[in-house]
Amino acid sequence: MMIALQLPKADRIVEQYRLSGQSIERPASPPTFNRIAYAAAHVVSDPLRDLDPWGRPAIDWDATIAFRHHPWSLGFKIAEAMDTAQRGMGLDWAGAQELIRRSLGAARSTPGADLACGAGTDHLAAIDATSLDDVIKAYETQIEFVEKHGGRAIVMASRALARLARSPGDYAKVYGRILSQAKDKVVLHWLGDMFDPQLAGYWGGEGFEGALDSVLSIIGENAGKVEGIKISLLDNAKEVQLRNRLPEGVACFTGDDFNYAELIAGDGTRYSHALLGIFDAVAPSASKALAALAVGDVAAFRSVIEPTVPLSRKIFEAPTQYYKAGVVFIAWLNGHQSHFSMPAGLQSARGLLHYADVFRLADQANVLDKPELAVRRMKVLTELYGVA
């Protein structure tokens, strides 16, 4: 029987939409990939305890950690406490510490589970940082916490550093200090200003080429401490430039939620690994695609992964920093959480027309795991917005 519901369109017309997608089957055991694949995971708010959702939002820790087992079961590593978990947009450093501690504990008790944890400077307000030494100390505090609990660090971009730095040399000083002290190899994070406007001009230098020269110099001087770098500029040509110039043994992790399919597939000579927020939402599809790629079936990889790209482009459309709302929306539709509310009320950052488009594209990408549940929940949302 065809499943259908009423969905609004941009021209104020409400139309009947009939679902056509097929849910992706789950593997019997976590598959093996030939790419390093991190899924950046979201956090689940607790609306029954959330008395100050903008100030100190409550987190449902049980549901949050339960969700981590979803990507783990599909073969992914987890990029923990990153921007997908609303770092700096609802999850503060105190919440991030609890998340990191709990996730590392869950990983230790889960065979094959692996993760790396975001470490930045977000407990230091950018306006309160008066020197590069302040930024260095802030990074040291967070990396020390991750390492003390047995984790590896993903060194997140710093708003405070972006505000204070006046040259590539300032970035080299800060990153040189923290990399020299890191216990294990780290992943660097190049997050574009479309994700966070406060990071404009990161790495110093003139334009993209100057920033590229700056970060490559930092990596070259500290290559023994860098596992790789995630680049999130939503520009595949820029990622390829970085990828082609990285030293041997330093991985390029695509964070390009617009062009990840072609970047992961590669050009026959080089390819990108993955550290993606969209993998939170499309984990079964991405897992099946990566498993196919691992056995050389590029056609199957593309047939599964490419339908998810239009969905990802819609979720990550401008203002891009609000993509977390679409990720959590799909988690709700698929039954990974019982409600559609987010820390800091971020679900309100997108409107009903956006969510209706995401619903259609999720269906067409075979991302709706439980179509009947997804339709029931989408009907609740449309009725809330006045669509009978």
Side-chain angles (χ1 to χ4, degrees):
M1 183 177 67
M2 296 292 290
I3 307 173
L5 75 165
Q6 299 294 112
L7 290 177
K9 297 176 66 175
D11 54 11
R12 301 184 65 85
I13 294 174
V14 176
E15 67 173 9
Q16 184 179 66
Y17 177 77
R18 294 186 178 276
L19 278 68
S20 60
Q22 299 291 324
S23 58
I24 299 291
E25 67 275 14
R26 298 295 194 273
S29 59
T32 300
F33 306 145
N34 63 351
R35 304 288 192 267
I36 303 169
Y38 285 94
H42 73 279
V43 294
V44 182
S45 69
D46 187 347
L48 300 183
R49 291 195 304 116
D50 213 350
L51 303 180
D52 184 11
W54 283 13
R56 286 195 61 83
I59 305 297
D60 183 336
W61 293 114
D62 290 342
T64 293
I65 299 305
F67 180 78
R68 270 76 187 141
H69 291 275
H70 170 57
W72 279 333
S73 72
L74 293 166
F76 293 100
K77 303 175 186 288
I78 288 177
E80 189 56 277
M82 301 290 290
D83 47 303
T84 302
Q86 293 183 234
R87 284 290 288 273
M89 292 184 68
L91 186 74
D92 61 12
W93 172 232
Q97 289 178 83
E98 184 71 5
L99 176 60
I100 289 166
R101 185 183 64 78
R102 287 174 179 263
S103 293
L104 286 169
R108 283 191 290 270
S109 62
T110 304
D114 193 12
L115 75 161
C117 305
T121 67
D122 51 323
H123 64 287
L124 172 67
I127 197 169
D128 293 334
T130 60
S131 69
L132 296 180
D133 286 338
D134 289 342
V135 177
I136 290 169
K137 290 175 183 176
Y139 269 127
E140 290 173 340
T141 294
Q142 296 203 12
I143 294 172
E144 180 184 3
F145 179 87
V146 170
E147 293 179 343
K148 181 177 72 174
H149 288 83
R152 306 187 316 279
I154 300 171
V155 181
M156 301 175 70
S158 167
R159 292 172 175 174
L161 179 55
R163 180 174 178 271
L164 285 172
R166 296 292 178 264
S167 69
D170 288 342
Y171 287 91
K173 175 182 177 179
V174 171
Y175 279 88
R177 180 81 65 83
I178 61 175
L179 289 172
S180 70
Q181 299 173 137
K183 179 181 176 182
D184 300 306
K185 286 188 176 183
V186 307
V187 174
L188 301 181
H189 193 189
W190 187 348
L191 191 66
D193 58 2
M194 69 289 295
F195 287 91
D196 186 343
Q198 295 186 55
L199 298 178
Y202 210 76
W203 303 115
E206 191 68 30
F208 169 73
E209 293 295 340
L212 181 61
D213 289 341
S214 173
V215 72
L216 286 168
S217 176
I218 291 169
I219 292 171
E221 292 173 5
N222 302 276
K225 288 294 186 75
V226 179
E227 176 189 354
I229 178 170
K230 173 190 174 177
I231 178 168
S232 302
L233 300 183
L234 304 183
D235 186 322
N236 54 341
K238 290 177 179 177
E239 179 169 324
V240 169
Q241 287 186 61
L242 170 66
R243 188 172 76 189
N244 288 343
R245 293 178 60 185
L246 285 173
E248 189 72 26
V250 177
C252 180
F253 291 93
T254 186
D256 188 335
D257 299 276
F258 283 6
N259 304 292
Y260 52 90
E262 62 184 89
L263 290 163
I264 293 170
D267 57 14
T269 303
R270 296 175 183 266
Y271 55 79
S272 296
H273 300 278
L275 198 165
L276 288 162
I278 193 58
F279 280 0
D280 180 300
V282 303
S285 295
S287 174
K288 182 177 181 179
L290 288 167
L293 188 63
V295 296
D297 193 341
V298 178
F301 166 79
R302 291 191 178 279
S303 71
V304 176
I305 200 77
E306 287 180 352
T308 70
V309 173
L311 168 64
S312 187
R313 291 184 176 189
K314 169 55 66 170
I315 289 175
F316 284 77
E317 70 182 358
T320 301
Q321 65 265 34
Y322 299 133
Y323 77 87
K324 296 92 168 171
V327 167
V328 174
F329 174 61
I330 289 181
W332 174 59
L333 292 178
N334 283 335
H336 292 296
Q337 56 192 77
S338 61
H339 57 83
F340 184 36
S341 64
M342 298 175 66
L346 198 66
Q347 72 276 4
S348 66
R350 300 293 201 189
L352 181 60
L353 295 179
H354 175 86
Y355 291 127
D357 284 343
V358 169
F359 184 94
R360 294 184 187 95
L361 291 168
D363 170 52
Q364 294 158 21
N366 303 312
V367 168
L368 297 180
D369 296 338
K370 302 173 182 177
E372 294 86 357
L373 175 65
V375 166
R376 288 200 304 272
R377 291 187 165 182
M378 190 66 199
K379 285 180 177 178
V380 169
L381 186 66
T382 57
E383 289 172 5
L384 181 66
Y385 279 86
V387 177

PDB file of all heavy atoms in Angstrom, residues 238-261:
ATOM      1  N   LYS A 238      38.885  23.313  -3.867  1.00  0.00           N
ATOM      2  CA  LYS A 238      39.806  23.718  -2.811  1.00  0.00           C
ATOM      3  C   LYS A 238      40.276  22.512  -2.001  1.00  0.00           C
ATOM      4  O   LYS A 238      41.443  22.419  -1.608  1.00  0.00           O
ATOM      5  CB  LYS A 238      39.142  24.760  -1.905  1.00  0.00           C
ATOM      6  CG  LYS A 238      38.937  26.105  -2.583  1.00  0.00           C
ATOM      7  CD  LYS A 238      38.214  27.098  -1.683  1.00  0.00           C
ATOM      8  CE  LYS A 238      38.051  28.437  -2.401  1.00  0.00           C
ATOM      9  NZ  LYS A 238      37.282  29.429  -1.585  1.00  0.00           N
ATOM     10  N   GLU A 239      39.356  21.579  -1.759  1.00  0.00           N
ATOM     11  CA  GLU A 239      39.764  20.376  -1.036  1.00  0.00           C
ATOM     12  C   GLU A 239      40.806  19.590  -1.826  1.00  0.00           C
ATOM     13  O   GLU A 239      41.777  19.084  -1.254  1.00  0.00           O
ATOM     14  CB  GLU A 239      38.562  19.496  -0.731  1.00  0.00           C
ATOM     15  CG  GLU A 239      38.942  18.207  -0.008  1.00  0.00           C
ATOM     16  CD  GLU A 239      37.750  17.454   0.538  1.00  0.00           C
ATOM     17  OE1 GLU A 239      36.779  18.102   0.985  1.00  0.00           O
ATOM     18  OE2 GLU A 239      37.797  16.208   0.532  1.00  0.00           O
ATOM     19  N   VAL A 240      40.615  19.476  -3.130  1.00  0.00           N
ATOM     20  CA  VAL A 240      41.567  18.739  -3.957  1.00  0.00           C
ATOM     21  C   VAL A 240      42.935  19.412  -3.923  1.00  0.00           C
ATOM     22  O   VAL A 240      43.981  18.735  -3.875  1.00  0.00           O
ATOM     23  CB  VAL A 240      41.035  18.594  -5.386  1.00  0.00           C
ATOM     24  CG1 VAL A 240      42.122  18.077  -6.326  1.00  0.00           C
ATOM     25  CG2 VAL A 240      39.832  17.653  -5.407  1.00  0.00           C
ATOM     26  N   GLN A 241      42.957  20.743  -3.926  1.00  0.00           N
ATOM     27  CA  GLN A 241      44.243  21.443  -3.822  1.00  0.00           C
ATOM     28  C   GLN A 241      44.957  21.085  -2.529  1.00  0.00           C
ATOM     29  O   GLN A 241      46.164  20.817  -2.524  1.00  0.00           O
ATOM     30  CB  GLN A 241      44.028  22.954  -3.886  1.00  0.00           C
ATOM     31  CG  GLN A 241      43.674  23.506  -5.245  1.00  0.00           C
ATOM     32  CD  GLN A 241      43.632  25.031  -5.230  1.00  0.00           C
ATOM     33  OE1 GLN A 241      44.640  25.687  -4.951  1.00  0.00           O
ATOM     34  NE2 GLN A 241      42.454  25.591  -5.511  1.00  0.00           N
ATOM     35  N   LEU A 242      44.231  21.098  -1.427  1.00  0.00           N
ATOM     36  CA  LEU A 242      44.826  20.712  -0.149  1.00  0.00           C
ATOM     37  C   LEU A 242      45.279  19.257  -0.194  1.00  0.00           C
ATOM     38  O   LEU A 242      46.413  18.931   0.202  1.00  0.00           O
ATOM     39  CB  LEU A 242      43.815  20.912   0.981  1.00  0.00           C
ATOM     40  CG  LEU A 242      44.212  20.336   2.346  1.00  0.00           C
ATOM     41  CD1 LEU A 242      45.415  21.057   2.916  1.00  0.00           C
ATOM     42  CD2 LEU A 242      43.037  20.399   3.320  1.00  0.00           C
ATOM     43  N   ARG A 243      44.419  18.377  -0.662  1.00  0.00           N
ATOM     44  CA  ARG A 243      44.708  16.941  -0.672  1.00  0.00           C
ATOM     45  C   ARG A 243      45.969  16.634  -1.479  1.00  0.00           C
ATOM     46  O   ARG A 243      46.793  15.811  -1.069  1.00  0.00           O
ATOM     47  CB  ARG A 243      43.495  16.218  -1.275  1.00  0.00           C
ATOM     48  CG  ARG A 243      43.540  14.723  -1.189  1.00  0.00           C
ATOM     49  CD  ARG A 243      42.205  14.153  -1.633  1.00  0.00           C
ATOM     50  NE  ARG A 243      42.026  14.174  -3.083  1.00  0.00           N
ATOM     51  CZ  ARG A 243      40.875  13.888  -3.684  1.00  0.00           C
ATOM     52  NH1 ARG A 243      39.793  13.588  -2.984  1.00  0.00           N
ATOM     53  NH2 ARG A 243      40.789  13.911  -5.007  1.00  0.00           N
ATOM     54  N   ASN A 244      46.146  17.313  -2.598  1.00  0.00           N
ATOM     55  CA  ASN A 244      47.292  17.058  -3.469  1.00  0.00           C
ATOM     56  C   ASN A 244      48.610  17.533  -2.871  1.00  0.00           C
ATOM     57  O   ASN A 244      49.677  17.101  -3.327  1.00  0.00           O
ATOM     58  CB  ASN A 244      47.078  17.708  -4.836  1.00  0.00           C
ATOM     59  CG  ASN A 244      46.024  16.993  -5.656  1.00  0.00           C
ATOM     60  OD1 ASN A 244      45.656  15.857  -5.370  1.00  0.00           O
ATOM     61  ND2 ASN A 244      45.518  17.673  -6.681  1.00  0.00           N
ATOM     62  N   ARG A 245      48.535  18.414  -1.890  1.00  0.00           N
ATOM     63  CA  ARG A 245      49.764  18.986  -1.330  1.00  0.00           C
ATOM     64  C   ARG A 245      50.094  18.484   0.071  1.00  0.00           C
ATOM     65  O   ARG A 245      51.097  18.899   0.646  1.00  0.00           O
ATOM     66  CB  ARG A 245      49.655  20.516  -1.329  1.00  0.00           C
ATOM     67  CG  ARG A 245      49.645  21.125  -2.728  1.00  0.00           C
ATOM     68  CD  ARG A 245      49.481  22.639  -2.685  1.00  0.00           C
ATOM     69  NE  ARG A 245      50.565  23.281  -1.938  1.00  0.00           N
ATOM     70  CZ  ARG A 245      50.608  24.602  -1.675  1.00  0.00           C
ATOM     71  NH1 ARG A 245      49.600  25.384  -2.068  1.00  0.00           N
ATOM     72  NH2 ARG A 245      51.610  25.117  -1.000  1.00  0.00           N
ATOM     73  N   LEU A 246      49.272  17.592   0.609  1.00  0.00           N
ATOM     74  CA  LEU A 246      49.556  17.085   1.951  1.00  0.00           C
ATOM     75  C   LEU A 246      50.772  16.170   1.945  1.00  0.00           C
ATOM     76  O   LEU A 246      50.993  15.418   0.989  1.00  0.00           O
ATOM     77  CB  LEU A 246      48.348  16.320   2.493  1.00  0.00           C
ATOM     78  CG  LEU A 246      47.165  17.156   2.957  1.00  0.00           C
ATOM     79  CD1 LEU A 246      45.988  16.254   3.312  1.00  0.00           C
ATOM     80  CD2 LEU A 246      47.541  18.024   4.165  1.00  0.00           C
ATOM     81  N   PRO A 247      51.558  16.199   3.021  1.00  0.00           N
ATOM     82  CA  PRO A 247      52.702  15.282   3.109  1.00  0.00           C
ATOM     83  C   PRO A 247      52.245  13.824   3.137  1.00  0.00           C
ATOM     84  O   PRO A 247      51.122  13.515   3.541  1.00  0.00           O
ATOM     85  CB  PRO A 247      53.358  15.669   4.446  1.00  0.00           C
ATOM     86  CG  PRO A 247      52.813  17.002   4.804  1.00  0.00           C
ATOM     87  CD  PRO A 247      51.459  17.085   4.190  1.00  0.00           C
ATOM     88  N   GLU A 248      53.114  12.928   2.715  1.00  0.00           N
ATOM     89  CA  GLU A 248      52.828  11.497   2.772  1.00  0.00           C
ATOM     90  C   GLU A 248      52.484  11.090   4.197  1.00  0.00           C
ATOM     91  O   GLU A 248      53.161  11.487   5.150  1.00  0.00           O
ATOM     92  CB  GLU A 248      54.045  10.702   2.285  1.00  0.00           C
ATOM     93  CG  GLU A 248      53.788   9.226   2.094  1.00  0.00           C
ATOM     94  CD  GLU A 248      52.918   8.944   0.892  1.00  0.00           C
ATOM     95  OE1 GLU A 248      52.912   9.759  -0.057  1.00  0.00           O
ATOM     96  OE2 GLU A 248      52.244   7.893   0.903  1.00  0.00           O
ATOM     97  N   GLY A 249      51.412  10.335   4.343  1.00  0.00           N
ATOM     98  CA  GLY A 249      51.026   9.858   5.664  1.00  0.00           C
ATOM     99  C   GLY A 249      50.062  10.756   6.405  1.00  0.00           C
ATOM    100  O   GLY A 249      49.591  10.393   7.482  1.00  0.00           O
ATOM    101  N   VAL A 250      49.746  11.925   5.864  1.00  0.00           N
ATOM    102  CA  VAL A 250      48.761  12.828   6.468  1.00  0.00           C
ATOM    103  C   VAL A 250      47.484  12.752   5.641  1.00  0.00           C
ATOM    104  O   VAL A 250      47.490  13.022   4.441  1.00  0.00           O
ATOM    105  CB  VAL A 250      49.280  14.278   6.539  1.00  0.00           C
ATOM    106  CG1 VAL A 250      48.198  15.205   7.094  1.00  0.00           C
ATOM    107  CG2 VAL A 250      50.537  14.359   7.392  1.00  0.00           C
ATOM    108  N   ALA A 251      46.391  12.362   6.284  1.00  0.00           N
ATOM    109  CA  ALA A 251      45.142  12.103   5.573  1.00  0.00           C
ATOM    110  C   ALA A 251      44.336  13.377   5.365  1.00  0.00           C
ATOM    111  O   ALA A 251      44.340  14.278   6.211  1.00  0.00           O
ATOM    112  CB  ALA A 251      44.298  11.092   6.347  1.00  0.00           C
ATOM    113  N   CYS A 252      43.618  13.421   4.264  1.00  0.00           N
ATOM    114  CA  CYS A 252      42.634  14.478   4.020  1.00  0.00           C
ATOM    115  C   CYS A 252      41.257  13.905   4.339  1.00  0.00           C
ATOM    116  O   CYS A 252      40.838  12.903   3.748  1.00  0.00           O
ATOM    117  CB  CYS A 252      42.685  14.941   2.577  1.00  0.00           C
ATOM    118  SG  CYS A 252      41.492  16.249   2.185  1.00  0.00           S
ATOM    119  N   PHE A 253      40.557  14.539   5.278  1.00  0.00           N
ATOM    120  CA  PHE A 253      39.208  14.130   5.651  1.00  0.00           C
ATOM    121  C   PHE A 253      38.226  15.123   5.047  1.00  0.00           C
ATOM    122  O   PHE A 253      38.252  16.304   5.396  1.00  0.00           O
ATOM    123  CB  PHE A 253      39.036  14.113   7.169  1.00  0.00           C
ATOM    124  CG  PHE A 253      39.807  13.026   7.866  1.00  0.00           C
ATOM    125  CD1 PHE A 253      41.073  13.268   8.356  1.00  0.00           C
ATOM    126  CD2 PHE A 253      39.257  11.764   8.026  1.00  0.00           C
ATOM    127  CE1 PHE A 253      41.797  12.274   9.006  1.00  0.00           C
ATOM    128  CE2 PHE A 253      39.970  10.757   8.667  1.00  0.00           C
ATOM    129  CZ  PHE A 253      41.243  11.013   9.162  1.00  0.00           C
ATOM    130  N   THR A 254      37.382  14.654   4.151  1.00  0.00           N
ATOM    131  CA  THR A 254      36.398  15.578   3.594  1.00  0.00           C
ATOM    132  C   THR A 254      35.350  15.925   4.645  1.00  0.00           C
ATOM    133  O   THR A 254      34.817  15.064   5.340  1.00  0.00           O
ATOM    134  CB  THR A 254      35.719  15.018   2.336  1.00  0.00           C
ATOM    135  OG1 THR A 254      34.889  16.046   1.793  1.00  0.00           O
ATOM    136  CG2 THR A 254      34.881  13.778   2.614  1.00  0.00           C
ATOM    137  N   GLY A 255      35.091  17.206   4.749  1.00  0.00           N
ATOM    138  CA  GLY A 255      33.968  17.705   5.518  1.00  0.00           C
ATOM    139  C   GLY A 255      33.002  18.428   4.606  1.00  0.00           C
ATOM    140  O   GLY A 255      32.190  19.239   5.048  1.00  0.00           O
ATOM    141  N   ASP A 256      33.102  18.108   3.301  1.00  0.00           N
ATOM    142  CA  ASP A 256      32.302  18.788   2.272  1.00  0.00           C
ATOM    143  C   ASP A 256      30.967  18.068   2.115  1.00  0.00           C
ATOM    144  O   ASP A 256      30.861  17.070   1.393  1.00  0.00           O
ATOM    145  CB  ASP A 256      33.073  18.799   0.954  1.00  0.00           C
ATOM    146  CG  ASP A 256      32.400  19.641  -0.118  1.00  0.00           C
ATOM    147  OD1 ASP A 256      31.164  19.825  -0.042  1.00  0.00           O
ATOM    148  OD2 ASP A 256      33.098  20.107  -1.040  1.00  0.00           O
ATOM    149  N   ASP A 257      29.956  18.576   2.778  1.00  0.00           N
ATOM    150  CA  ASP A 257      28.643  17.940   2.766  1.00  0.00           C
ATOM    151  C   ASP A 257      27.878  18.214   1.477  1.00  0.00           C
ATOM    152  O   ASP A 257      26.724  17.800   1.352  1.00  0.00           O
ATOM    153  CB  ASP A 257      27.842  18.399   3.984  1.00  0.00           C
ATOM    154  CG  ASP A 257      28.519  18.020   5.282  1.00  0.00           C
ATOM    155  OD1 ASP A 257      28.322  16.884   5.731  1.00  0.00           O
ATOM    156  OD2 ASP A 257      29.272  18.850   5.828  1.00  0.00           O
ATOM    157  N   PHE A 258      28.505  18.895   0.516  1.00  0.00           N
ATOM    158  CA  PHE A 258      27.931  19.080  -0.812  1.00  0.00           C
ATOM    159  C   PHE A 258      28.508  18.096  -1.833  1.00  0.00           C
ATOM    160  O   PHE A 258      27.824  17.709  -2.778  1.00  0.00           O
ATOM    161  CB  PHE A 258      28.187  20.493  -1.332  1.00  0.00           C
ATOM    162  CG  PHE A 258      27.307  21.568  -0.743  1.00  0.00           C
ATOM    163  CD1 PHE A 258      26.416  21.304   0.285  1.00  0.00           C
ATOM    164  CD2 PHE A 258      27.382  22.857  -1.224  1.00  0.00           C
ATOM    165  CE1 PHE A 258      25.616  22.293   0.815  1.00  0.00           C
ATOM    166  CE2 PHE A 258      26.573  23.871  -0.703  1.00  0.00           C
ATOM    167  CZ  PHE A 258      25.691  23.590   0.321  1.00  0.00           C
ATOM    168  N   ASN A 259      29.772  17.726  -1.676  1.00  0.00           N
ATOM    169  CA  ASN A 259      30.503  17.016  -2.732  1.00  0.00           C
ATOM    170  C   ASN A 259      31.211  15.757  -2.238  1.00  0.00           C
ATOM    171  O   ASN A 259      32.155  15.291  -2.874  1.00  0.00           O
ATOM    172  CB  ASN A 259      31.536  17.962  -3.364  1.00  0.00           C
ATOM    173  CG  ASN A 259      30.921  19.241  -3.896  1.00  0.00           C
ATOM    174  OD1 ASN A 259      30.166  19.230  -4.855  1.00  0.00           O
ATOM    175  ND2 ASN A 259      31.232  20.365  -3.257  1.00  0.00           N
ATOM    176  N   TYR A 260      30.753  15.196  -1.116  1.00  0.00           N
ATOM    177  CA  TYR A 260      31.491  14.102  -0.493  1.00  0.00           C
ATOM    178  C   TYR A 260      31.558  12.846  -1.354  1.00  0.00           C
ATOM    179  O   TYR A 260      32.551  12.106  -1.305  1.00  0.00           O
ATOM    180  CB  TYR A 260      30.892  13.763   0.876  1.00  0.00           C
ATOM    181  CG  TYR A 260      29.409  13.508   0.891  1.00  0.00           C
ATOM    182  CD1 TYR A 260      28.880  12.243   0.706  1.00  0.00           C
ATOM    183  CD2 TYR A 260      28.514  14.560   1.100  1.00  0.00           C
ATOM    184  CE1 TYR A 260      27.514  12.020   0.724  1.00  0.00           C
ATOM    185  CE2 TYR A 260      27.147  14.349   1.116  1.00  0.00           C
ATOM    186  CZ  TYR A 260      26.647  13.085   0.918  1.00  0.00           C
ATOM    187  OH  TYR A 260      25.293  12.879   0.925  1.00  0.00           O
ATOM    188  N   ALA A 261      30.542  12.576  -2.164  1.00  0.00           N
ATOM    189  CA  ALA A 261      30.543  11.339  -2.941  1.00  0.00           C
ATOM    190  C   ALA A 261      31.752  11.279  -3.868  1.00  0.00           C
ATOM    191  O   ALA A 261      32.490  10.282  -3.888  1.00  0.00           O
ATOM    192  CB  ALA A 261      29.248  11.205  -3.730  1.00  0.00           C
TER     193      ALA A 261
END
